[in-house]
Amino acid sequence: MAIPMTRSESPSSLPRGKVKRIKSIAAAINQDTAEADRLRKDKERVENWKRWSYFPHEQARSRAYRWGEDGILGICDRQCRLCFALSFWNEKDPILKERLFGLVNYEGNHGEDVKECYYYLDSTPTHSYMKGLYKYPQCEYPYWKLLDENRRRGLDDPEYELEDTGVFDEGKYWDMFVEYANEDPSDILVRIKVCNRGPASARVHVLPTLWYRNTWGWGYKHEGHTEKPVMKQVGEDVVFCEHETLGVNYLYVSEDEAGNAPELLWTGNETNTEKLFGHPADTPYVKDAFHR
């Protein structure tokens, strides 16, 4: 089930803060300044100055990773070709928690804002070692509550944060720790640790995810766009990866502390055009396959 994170609104139903912002933008466009010129070009789709409002969070999980590394507490190579990050599911949310939730400019009372609790705990200057923490609620994540309350508030009101929703009350959340340690620049060890901070046992699914940023599906031939890379399972716990400019890499998956080998799940990094635009997708292996 998808969460529709956008709603049609009439001007009379717009929150007070949003009406103020719309009026201020309209006034700015009519001025004879460099910023007014940028706003006009963005409105007329001549140049894209306001990237953060391109599409909301609700669409993000169905769109191919294209512009940059995405995910939670992830890493990638220097050109953002091969990416690794964490995803989670608490058996309550209607979607995977695979990216930080945030508001675009028109959804937050102070503009775009991330509504999550995550921390960069440690790192060496060379990033040969890194440690991060993400706090994941055990109850259903309050997407709608955060969206509606921040839309309702005005410019002079404080922002409504994740902690304000009560999802961390009584310690009912997990601490998701991830550590990265380099044997050498191309050999990275990853350790994931899950700590239940709640008063009772609770199950969570952890999905470490490896993918190539989509640089092949846009019809371009200039620098930075490549042929579609290869990723395939070549052993019970080994994934072979080959990229036109990055070369060959391998992902080795170890057993957990109980001796259980994780199951490997597969899909493609392709936009679900049928869901978003009503056009049949070229492949059934679209990016949001794990959400269904």
Side-chain angles (χ1 to χ4, degrees), residues 15-258:
R16 176 167 54 89
K18 187 172 180 180
V19 172
K20 287 181 179 179
R21 287 195 297 277
I22 291 174
K23 289 181 178 179
S24 64
I25 291 174
I29 289 177
N30 293 326
Q31 296 176 1
D32 185 20
T33 64
E35 179 64 8
D37 186 54
R38 287 188 284 267
L39 286 169
R40 283 191 293 269
K41 289 179 178 178
D42 181 83
K43 184 178 180 181
E44 296 166 1
R45 300 292 182 91
V46 176
E47 295 179 359
N48 295 311
W49 282 100
K50 295 164 66 178
R51 291 287 190 179
W52 286 106
S53 297
Y54 182 60
F55 58 85
H57 182 273
E58 191 274 332
Q59 286 194 17
R61 63 183 174 274
S62 299
R63 288 179 178 257
Y65 291 112
R66 176 182 180 185
W67 291 280
E69 184 271 326
D70 213 331
I72 296 175
L73 297 178
I75 58 174
C76 68
D77 66 273
R78 62 187 294 179
Q79 295 182 26
C80 195
R81 291 162 292 187
L82 185 60
C83 308
F84 177 91
L86 306 183
S87 298
F88 315 106
W89 186 49
N90 58 10
E91 298 189 343
K92 304 287 178 58
D93 289 343
I95 60 174
L96 298 181
K97 174 58 70 172
E98 67 171 12
R99 69 180 65 229
L100 300 179
F101 172 69
L103 309 176
V104 296
N105 269 318
Y106 61 84
E107 293 174 334
N109 62 320
H110 295 156
E112 73 257 15
D113 190 22
V114 173
K115 303 298 183 182
E116 299 276 9
C117 287
Y118 63 101
Y119 306 87
Y120 302 110
L121 300 178
D122 200 359
S123 181
T124 60
T126 61
H127 301 297
S128 60
Y129 174 81
M130 298 181 290
K131 184 177 183 179
L133 166 64
Y134 176 77
K135 293 182 176 291
Y136 187 32
Q138 294 177 4
C139 64
E140 183 174 338
Y141 196 89
Y143 292 104
W144 268 119
K145 194 172 184 179
L146 288 165
L147 181 61
D148 288 343
E149 180 61 23
N150 279 284
R151 275 180 163 176
R152 185 189 65 81
R153 297 190 179 195
L155 292 173
D156 298 329
D157 298 320
E159 297 172 7
Y160 188 64
E161 305 293 357
L162 180 61
E163 301 94 312
D164 301 325
T165 67
V167 296
F168 297 123
D169 292 352
E170 303 179 24
K172 293 182 179 180
Y173 64 90
W174 294 280
D175 275 339
M176 306 294 196
F177 293 95
V178 61
E179 295 174 274
Y180 298 97
N182 287 43
E183 179 70 18
D184 61 50
S186 300
D187 188 0
I188 306 173
L189 306 177
V190 184
R191 179 166 60 186
I192 302 167
K193 182 178 180 180
V194 179
C195 298
N196 182 1
R197 303 306 187 190
S201 62
R203 185 164 64 175
V204 63
H205 301 260
V206 182
L207 295 90
T209 307
L210 183 73
W211 72 94
Y212 283 110
R213 181 168 64 91
N214 191 322
T215 58
W216 60 86
W218 318 104
Y220 301 127
K221 299 298 183 182
H222 55 74
E223 183 179 0
H225 294 270
T226 62
E227 296 296 323
K228 190 172 183 178
V230 174
M231 188 179 291
K232 61 183 179 180
Q233 187 172 350
V234 294
E236 184 178 352
D237 57 358
V238 182
V239 176
F240 171 85
C241 308
E242 185 174 20
H243 187 277
E244 181 179 335
T245 60
L246 189 59
V248 173
N249 289 274
Y250 291 90
L251 173 70
Y252 297 90
V253 183
S254 63
E255 298 177 343
D256 61 21
E257 293 180 352

